[in-house]
């Protein structure tokens, strides 16, 4: 006898070879009877628990995996694709990415979105490009890197510095005119507790995907508020004073791994990076592609630009103000640089007033040479880590 479904006034049953193995009554009670023959279907009892499914990890159902902002290097509010020459300071180039250089080495490399105009890896439109400006001997006290600091609020769930510290995996695409062992480092915001790591570039001028899995540190000080919670750096050139052995945590402020390639040691050498992801776990999942609007808003928490202005008839020498509302709440009250867009009948510098993470006001003094007056002003708001 084949499988069949039988229905009465009180019960629906599913049978196979005359044996009932599932019934549903009018109260929606379900009964399963294990009286099946060898040729009957097999029941599998599900094991309910955590599951990792590749197709989900690559999509929106597993969103908010990546602690890195602008890891695909799309957003460049400051420079709009223009090149930046390194200075002996920490300078932001692409949004959330800065160059760090110390030891009197200004001008040894340039940084630019899509430098060299090579084709990015499949699935990406942009990358950050570093080009060595000269053949340079990287002495002991030199630090040259690109880096991103992650806000403590965004890193707090990793529980770093505790017995429950979680493992993370850093993954990225890289291309260089050089080959060999390259370096990076993961550290706390103060950069006094660090983990140097290495990766190998096997073929010159070819995009390669890399991943490094790092067990979370159980010691060190890791901020969980709006300060710098942790910092990821990729080495451009680092001297021996700031190098440490790869593969372990240390209570030292390392900026690279011992023996790693110094890009600035070769004139015209290039290092291109994109698709940077830092996520909890031991597996490098597909890069989390967020919408452009979402990524821009994440960047604007740390840097944004806006305009405001005032127009009308004013009394001579009086101060007049324009109010503004920022589109994204900033990490902290920002530093502001104002610049004229259009001005008539006003003198002197702009002054900020009532500056908060959400907005404020700007004012300027009218002169004595005009009655109909106006000013339109652009503001650059910075609240970087």
């Amino acid at each position: 006898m084949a499988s069949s479904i039988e229905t009465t006034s009180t019960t629906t049953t599913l049978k196979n070879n005359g044996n009932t193995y599932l019934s549903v009554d009018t109260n929606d009670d379900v009964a399963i009877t294990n009286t099946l023959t060898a040729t009957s279907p097999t029941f599998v009892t599900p094991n309910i628990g955590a599951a990792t499914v590749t197709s989900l990890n690559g999509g929106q159902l597993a969103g908010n995996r990546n602690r890195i902002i602008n890891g695909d290097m799309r957003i460049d509010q400051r420079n709009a694709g223009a090149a930046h020459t390194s200075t002996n300071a920490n300078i932001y180039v692409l949004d959330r990415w800065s160059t760090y250089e110390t030891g009197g080495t200004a001008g040894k490399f340039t940084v630019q979105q899509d430098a060299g105009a090579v084709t990015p890896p499949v699935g990406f439109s942009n990358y950050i490009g570093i080009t060595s400006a000269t053949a340079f001997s990287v002495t002991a006290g030199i630090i040259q890197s690109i880096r991103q600091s992650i806000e403590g609020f965004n890193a707090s769930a990793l529980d770093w510095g505790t017995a429950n510290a979680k493992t993370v995996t850093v993954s990225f695409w890289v291309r260089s005119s050089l080959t060999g062992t390259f370096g990076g480092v993961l550290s706390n915001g103060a950069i006094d507790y660090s983990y140097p790591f290495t990766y190998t570039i096997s073929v010159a001028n070819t995009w390669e995907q890399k991943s490094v899995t790092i067990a979370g540190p159980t010691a060190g000080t890791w901020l969980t508020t709006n300060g710098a919670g942790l910092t990821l750096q990729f080495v451009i050139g680092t001297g021996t004073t700031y190098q440490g052995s790869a593969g372990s945590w240390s209570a030292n402020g390392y900026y690279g791994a011992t023996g790693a390639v110094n890009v600035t040691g070769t004139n015209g050498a290039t290092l291109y990076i994109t698709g940077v992801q830092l996520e909890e776990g031991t597996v490098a999942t597909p890069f989390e592609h967020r919408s452009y609007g979402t990524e821009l808003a994440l960047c604007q928490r740390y840097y944004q630009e806006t305009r405001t202005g005032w127009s009308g008839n004013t009394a001579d020498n009086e101060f007049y103000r324009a109010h503004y509302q920022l589109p994204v709440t900033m990490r902290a009250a920002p530093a502001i640089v104002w610049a004229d867009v259009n001005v008539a009948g006003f003198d002197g510098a702009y002054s900020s007033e009532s500056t908060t993470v959400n907005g404020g006001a700007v004012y300027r003094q009218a002169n004595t040479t005009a009655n109909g007056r106006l000013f339109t002003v652009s503001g650059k708001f910075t609240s970087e880590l």
Side-chain angles (χ1 to χ4, degrees):
M1 180 179 177
S3 297
S4 64
I5 298 175
E6 298 181 8
T7 303
T8 68
S9 60
T10 59
T11 305
T12 297
T13 58
L14 186 59
K15 294 184 177 182
N16 189 70
N17 293 329
N19 297 311
T20 298
Y21 59 92
L22 185 145
S23 63
V24 183
D25 63 21
T26 54
N27 294 321
D28 292 329
D29 293 327
V30 178
I32 300 175
T33 304
N34 189 17
T35 58
L36 305 180
T37 67
T39 58
S40 301
T42 301
F43 284 106
V44 177
T45 303
N47 182 13
I48 306 301
T52 300
V53 183
T54 301
S55 60
L56 297 184
N57 284 341
Q60 292 302 311
L61 289 177
N64 298 317
R65 290 174 288 115
N66 194 2
R67 261 71 171 191
I68 294 293
I69 297 173
N70 199 29
D72 55 4
M73 315 300 176
R74 280 182 294 171
I75 314 297
D76 186 11
Q77 296 182 81
R78 292 173 177 84
N79 298 311
H84 167 77
T85 299
S86 63
T87 61
N88 198 23
N90 185 45
I91 303 296
Y92 279 84
V93 282
L94 274 63
D95 278 72
R96 301 298 304 119
W97 292 100
S98 66
T99 63
Y100 185 74
E101 189 172 29
T102 189
T105 62
K108 301 305 179 184
F109 60 93
T110 60
V111 185
Q112 186 177 15
Q113 184 187 51
D114 303 337
V118 303
T119 301
V122 174
F124 295 91
S125 300
N126 304 102
Y127 56 90
I128 190 169
I130 298 96
T131 305
S132 175
T134 182
F136 174 67
S137 178
V138 181
T139 55
I142 300 298
I143 300 171
Q144 300 166 325
S145 69
I146 58 169
R147 66 182 184 176
Q148 180 171 143
S149 291
I150 299 172
E151 189 173 346
F153 284 133
N154 297 333
S156 59
L158 296 176
D159 290 324
W160 282 11
T162 76
N164 300 314
K166 297 179 176 64
T167 296
V168 299
T169 296
V170 178
S171 57
F172 53 95
W173 286 89
V174 64
R175 170 181 172 137
S176 178
S177 60
L178 307 175
T179 60
T181 300
F182 290 70
V185 63
L186 198 58
S187 68
N188 60 359
I191 313 184
D192 58 17
Y193 205 87
S194 54
Y195 185 104
F197 63 85
T198 59
Y199 60 93
T200 300
I201 295 179
S202 302
V203 183
N205 300 316
T206 302
W207 285 106
E208 299 176 4
Q209 189 175 26
K210 309 298 176 181
S211 68
V212 180
T213 297
I214 300 171
T218 57
T221 300
W222 305 85
L223 299 184
T224 58
T225 56
N226 70 336
L230 60 94
T231 298
L232 172 65
Q233 300 192 67
F234 294 99
V235 173
I236 299 172
T238 300
T240 55
T241 300
Y242 298 102
Q243 293 177 353
S245 298
S248 62
W249 286 101
S250 172
N252 291 286
Y254 292 135
Y255 285 79
T258 301
V261 170
N262 287 320
V263 178
T264 50
T266 302
N267 183 32
T270 59
L271 179 68
Y272 303 155
I273 298 174
T274 193
V276 183
Q277 183 153 285
L278 188 154
E279 60 189 310
E280 181 182 332
T282 60
V283 177
T285 65
F287 183 80
E288 183 181 357
H289 291 278
R290 294 184 282 251
S291 71
Y292 184 89
T294 296
E295 206 72 38
L296 176 61
L298 292 173
C299 293
Q300 287 175 326
R301 178 168 172 79
Y302 308 93
Y303 179 85
Q304 56 184 288
E305 300 179 5
T306 192
R307 290 186 179 185
T308 188
W310 184 95
S311 65
N313 294 316
T314 72
D316 293 346
N317 299 317
E318 291 295 325
F319 288 89
Y320 292 86
R321 63 181 46 80
H323 295 270
Y324 60 89
Q325 182 74 29
L326 296 174
V328 174
T329 299
M330 303 201 74
R331 180 189 64 87
I336 310 171
V337 176
W338 298 107
D340 281 328
V341 177
N342 192 12
V343 63
F346 287 88
D347 289 332
Y350 292 104
S351 297
S352 300
E353 183 179 60
S354 304
T355 301
T356 73
V357 295
N358 296 307
V362 57
Y363 62 90
R364 196 172 187 182
Q365 186 177 23
N367 61 28
T368 60
T369 60
N371 291 319
R373 299 181 170 99
L374 64 88
F375 66 78
T376 305
V377 60
S378 67
K380 297 180 179 180
F381 299 79
T382 302
S383 185
E384 296 286 4
L385 291 163

